[in-house]
Amino acid sequence: NIWQNTALCYKSLLSILLVGGTNMDYNDCVELVQRQDARNIFKACDVNLSFMPQPLQMFYALYNPIDVEIVLADLTSISLCPVSGLKEIQYEYPIDKNAFVFATKEGDAIYHMPNGIFTCAHGSSVIKHEKIADSFDSFIEKIVKEIRKW
């Protein structure tokens, strides 16, 4: 039912705001990513986001990355996982019980942990967490700085 989905989305937004959401304006990043490739699609979500870490909830509530691949200046690419695929991708990349995978870079997981955003080599027998940002917001800022300008 569309009304139930809308209510869930508003409930998620309200809980984010009451808990103390971010001051980050994600719109600039989204516009930049869409200018890079018009096929990059973001849409507001219509599901309860309580299953994901709080720092990611505002972004996903407002800008669920339906189909998004971001090319960086070094010609590598980051694929952001849509809400519909987040639960499944956790099983594809079993990293750590505290890790929440939300993206990949050239097939390697990008994930949130309580102390930052990390990546590690996919398929490695020993997981070596490589910190790439102090927070989800700083990860988004990093994308803005490193995105390939055509």
Side-chain angles (χ1 to χ4, degrees), residues 74-127:
D74 65 2
L75 300 181
T76 60
S77 62
I78 293 175
S79 296
L80 298 177
C81 188
V83 168
S84 62
L86 286 172
K87 289 181 182 177
E88 183 179 312
I89 201 169
Q90 306 312 309
Y91 297 107
E92 187 177 337
Y93 294 91
I95 296 166
D96 182 282
K97 66 178 180 163
N98 294 315
F100 185 83
V101 179
F102 64 90
T104 60
K105 181 176 181 182
E106 302 297 315
D108 294 338
I110 296 175
Y111 49 96
H112 174 275
M113 290 186 77
N115 58 337
I117 304 300
F118 294 82
T119 189
C120 67
H122 183 56
S124 177
S125 60
V126 176
I127 295 175

Side-chain angles (χ1 to χ4, degrees), residues 6 71 84 87 130:
T6 302
V71 180
S84 62
K87 289 181 182 177
E130 179 186 337

